[in-house]
Amino acid sequence: MSTIHLTTTINADIHKVFDLARDIDLHQKSTFKTNEKAISGRISGLIEKGETVTWGAKHLGFYQTHTSKIIEMQKPHQFTDIMLEGTFKLFKHQHIFKTNANTTVMIDILEFESPFGIIGKLFNHFFLKNYMTSFLLERNKLIKKTAELSNFKLNV
């Protein structure tokens, strides 16, 4: 199994960052390179505990679908989604939010495993972990930019 651990510091209120992280529409904007779209379940707005979303996108040259369910949520401190259906053998993404002075620290812990035994493990190690890290960094960059820009507008 591979694990990605990312920490992003955002100059915005924890509630705003929490909501942006679970915003289906913002996620779709962050994934413009793969043209990822919510195609069933919650397809717009803020996803809630117990809800699912199915994403359709072209990754690594193949059209894929991925259905996730929010299994845990403690507003505004954390939520966790897991894959119900998709190409991974295992996929669990923990989103954790903490306040630190006037900032929010957003922590992503993504655990995933590819199918196909040793070939999948090698693919994870040599390629997929970097691909998924870049994917998350792009998403986090948009969350940070959106939160800080709207925070700036509120303070002006």
Side-chain angles (χ1 to χ4, degrees):
M1 179 170 47
S2 295
T3 302
I4 298 168
H5 189 284
L6 297 176
T7 301
T8 307
T9 301
I10 302 172
N11 294 315
D13 176 72
I14 190 171
H15 297 278
K16 179 187 307 284
V17 176
F18 182 83
D19 285 348
L20 289 171
R22 61 193 183 99
D23 187 318
I24 300 291
D25 304 299
L26 187 69
H27 180 84
Q28 290 177 116
K29 288 178 186 174
S30 76
T31 59
F32 70 93
K33 291 178 183 174
T34 59
N35 198 28
E36 190 161 313
K37 300 287 180 210
I39 57 174
S40 70
R42 168 66 82 161
I43 60 168
S44 185
L46 303 180
I47 195 161
E48 299 288 347
K49 182 179 179 182
E51 291 185 323
T52 63
V53 58
T54 299
W55 300 100
K58 192 171 186 178
H59 289 283
L60 309 174
F62 299 97
Y63 183 79
Q64 302 175 38
T65 59
H66 178 104
T67 302
S68 288
K69 180 177 183 176
I70 305 297
I71 60 165
E72 244 184 296
M73 184 177 287
Q74 296 170 347
K75 296 179 183 179
H77 301 288
Q78 69 90 15
F79 68 96
T80 301
D81 61 271
I82 60 166
M83 182 193 75
L84 297 178
E85 293 180 26
T87 55
F88 291 93
K89 183 176 178 183
L90 173 129
F91 189 97
K92 179 181 178 182
H93 188 177
Q94 296 175 67
H95 309 256
I96 302 164
F97 306 85
K98 299 178 180 181
T99 53
N100 184 11
N102 293 328
T103 63
T104 298
V105 177
M106 180 173 72
I107 301 164
D108 290 280
I109 302 170
L110 176 62
E111 300 169 285
F112 62 95
E113 186 175 346
S114 296
F116 310 121
I118 189 70
I119 293 170
K121 288 180 194 303
L122 291 170
F123 182 69
N124 280 0
H125 179 74
F126 288 108
F127 181 76
L128 192 57
K129 188 170 183 178
N130 288 335
Y131 180 84
M132 294 302 294
T133 299
S134 295
F135 188 81
L136 287 176
L137 287 170
E138 192 70 33
R139 173 187 157 273
N140 291 359
K141 186 167 62 170
L142 184 59
I143 290 170
K144 179 178 174 72
K145 180 180 175 184
T146 304
E148 290 178 350
L149 183 60
S150 63
N151 191 41
F152 175 75
K153 288 180 181 177
L154 291 173
N155 291 330
V156 172

